[in-house]
């Protein structure tokens, strides 16, 4: 069996408002649309994913919280209704998904070998969280690619940001090793919003876009600073700034998916493609792609910057 590889990583945030705005048949509430710029950003991401033909999608969600250890979906098929506890008026979604259990078990095993506490989730009636479902629906509404779902142990909240993110780095490296050994062609999804200051009251019509804007100027400015570095491929600087970004913008990347994904990819210093940015109840959301394929077309270039830096991180393959 040939070694597996990570084809790409996507920053793929999960506001349930995006599913609500799209009105798919699986979601019970109906809307008049809304958040189009982010939903169209996901359309670009869907088109990119279509060209990648991965065997599996791995997603780390901040809203499947496990207090003890890192858990992995471990049932071949899961279905049911998932409700967002914060926005039950927007998200009541009938999900049905297939799990790549072999890869999930390999991830758990590699994590354990690296010193993490890991566990397989074997409950056949498990209700998958809205973060996992929203990210997967928005990136691949056909639901025809098996998934590996990974919980958030939330160590950055229980310990401190640096220690917690170090653990996510370990989880990322373990994930990469599991992908390599199982021969999968994998796409990673970091289900994270950027700045996370949000409104505390919902408009009478949730999709009234005249009420939608960044909650704080500082949060917006932080998002633009980080996205610009990502667009230029200056990922080392992104990771140097990450703890400060988390503290000052209340950024959801604190929950670890972003670090997990980049650790798994070997921290490639390549330009990300920004598919689009938008706010949801004031939080900053970007849909972005790090394409690791050989010969992948470079993202749109900024004429002020130099060449696309350093091809691909060999360790990610
Ligand atoms: Fe969230």
């Amino acid at each position: 069996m040939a070694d597996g590889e990570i084809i790409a990583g996507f920053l793929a945030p999960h506001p349930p408002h995006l599913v609500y705005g799209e009105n798919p048949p699986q979601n019970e509430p109906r809307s008049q649309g809304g958040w189009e710029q982010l939903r169209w950003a996901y359309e670009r991401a869907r088109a990119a994913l279509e060209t990648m033909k991965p065997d599996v999608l791995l997603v780390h969600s901040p809203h499947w919280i496990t207090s003890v250890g890192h858990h992995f979906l471990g049932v071949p098929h899961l279905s049911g209704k998932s409700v967002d506890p914060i926005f039950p008026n927007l998200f009541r979604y009938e999900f049905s998904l297939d799990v790549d259990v072999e890869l999930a078990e390999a991830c758990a095993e590699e994590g354990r070998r690296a010193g993490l506490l890991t566990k397989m989730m074997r409950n056949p009636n498990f209700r998958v969280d809205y973060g996992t479902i929203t990210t997967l629906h928005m990136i691949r509404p056909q639901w025809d690619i098996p998934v590996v779902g990974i919980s958030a142990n939330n160590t950055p909240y229980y310990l401190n940001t640096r220690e917690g993110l170090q653990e996510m780095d370990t989880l990322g490296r373990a994930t990469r090793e599991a992908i390599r050994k199982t021969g999968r062609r994998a796409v990673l999804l970091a289900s994270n919003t950027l700045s996370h200051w949000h409104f505390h009251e919902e408009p009478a019509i949730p999709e009234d876009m005249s009420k939608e804007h960044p909650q704080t100027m500082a949060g917006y400015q932080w998002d633009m600073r980080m996205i610009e570095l990502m667009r230029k491929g200056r990922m080392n600087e992104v990771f140097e700034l990450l703890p400060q970004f988390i503290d000052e913008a209340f950024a959801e990347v604190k929950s670890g998916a972003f670090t997990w994904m980049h650790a798994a990819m070997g921290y490639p210093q390549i330009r990300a493609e920004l598919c689009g940015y938008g706010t949801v109840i004031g939080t900053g959301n970007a849909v972005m792609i790090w394409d690791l394929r050989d010969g992948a077309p470079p993202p749109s270039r900024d004429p002020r910057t130099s060449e696309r830096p350093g091809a691909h991180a060999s360790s990610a393959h």
Side-chain angles (χ1 to χ4, degrees):
M1 179 172 62
D3 276 2
E5 62 175 353
I6 296 170
I7 310 166
F10 289 67
L11 180 57
H14 55 252
H17 306 64
L18 305 182
V19 170
Y20 170 69
E22 192 174 287
N23 288 315
Q26 297 100 322
N27 199 36
E28 201 179 310
R30 296 289 99 185
S31 73
Q32 302 173 55
W35 304 278
E36 278 77 7
Q37 293 177 54
L38 270 170
R39 294 197 285 114
W40 295 337
Y42 264 112
E43 284 185 11
R44 290 186 67 179
R46 288 171 184 175
L49 181 66
E50 178 63 28
T51 69
M52 294 172 184
K53 308 262 180 264
D55 299 323
V56 59
L57 304 173
L58 293 91
V59 57
H60 185 281
S61 166
H63 300 294
W64 177 18
I65 299 171
T66 51
S67 297
V68 181
H70 304 268
H71 296 211
F72 300 81
L73 296 182
V75 177
H77 184 77
L78 288 164
S79 61
K81 179 175 275 193
S82 183
V83 178
D84 179 346
I86 312 292
F87 294 102
N89 54 326
L90 307 184
F91 190 88
R92 302 190 297 276
Y93 187 100
E94 292 281 354
F95 66 91
S96 176
L97 58 83
D98 292 319
V99 176
D100 184 340
V101 177
E102 184 186 334
L103 176 57
E105 288 172 345
C107 290
E109 172 62 18
E110 291 299 327
R112 192 188 58 74
R113 274 191 204 172
L116 301 176
L117 186 59
T118 62
K119 186 174 171 62
M120 296 300 296
M121 197 300 297
R122 304 288 192 188
N123 175 3
N125 300 314
F126 184 68
R127 186 179 288 185
V128 179
D129 69 285
Y130 76 91
T132 298
I133 291 171
T134 296
T135 288
L136 286 168
H137 174 92
M138 292 310 294
I139 202 77
R140 189 71 179 175
Q142 302 93 317
W143 291 97
D144 59 353
I145 301 174
V147 308
V148 170
I150 308 174
S151 77
N153 179 229
N154 275 355
T155 35
Y157 298 93
Y158 299 139
L159 304 170
N160 59 54
T161 298
R162 283 186 189 278
E163 232 179 313
L165 292 184
Q166 188 59 45
E167 188 160 322
M168 295 310 297
D169 172 272
T170 304
L171 184 66
R173 292 169 194 272
T175 303
R176 178 178 69 201
E177 191 59 10
I179 290 166
R180 187 186 70 74
K181 286 184 178 171
T182 53
R184 301 296 198 271
R185 296 181 73 255
V187 162
L188 307 184
L189 306 170
S191 181
N192 277 162
T193 288
L194 296 176
S195 65
H196 207 260
W197 300 116
H198 55 78
F199 309 143
H200 292 274
E201 287 190 22
E202 192 174 47
I205 300 170
E207 60 270 40
D208 178 356
M209 291 295 101
S210 71
K211 303 286 194 294
E212 188 61 80
H213 57 83
Q215 206 269 353
T216 68
M217 181 176 175
Y220 179 82
Q221 288 180 326
W222 257 116
D223 286 350
M224 293 306 114
R225 182 180 180 187
M226 298 299 267
I227 289 170
E228 181 69 336
L229 289 172
M230 295 179 206
R231 290 176 66 242
K232 290 178 175 171
R234 290 159 61 179
M235 295 306 299
N236 283 344
E237 288 172 69
V238 168
F239 278 93
E240 279 164 24
L241 286 170
L242 205 65
Q244 189 186 354
F245 172 51
I246 286 169
D247 285 348
E248 294 182 13
F250 191 42
E252 201 190 31
V253 291
K254 179 166 184 169
S255 59
F258 185 79
T259 301
W260 160 78
M261 180 172 85
H262 280 273
M265 294 193 297
Y267 298 101
Q269 299 296 305
I270 59 172
R271 295 170 188 273
E273 177 178 356
L274 174 67
C275 298
Y277 175 89
T279 63
V280 178
I281 55 162
T283 67
N285 296 267
V287 181
M288 304 187 76
I289 308 172
W290 287 262
D291 191 339
L292 300 176
R293 291 174 296 175
D294 289 331
S300 3
R301 286 170 180 259
D302 180 338
R304 293 167 301 175
T305 55
S306 54
E307 302 295 296
R308 186 180 193 229
H312 305 115
S314 56
S315 58
H317 291 264

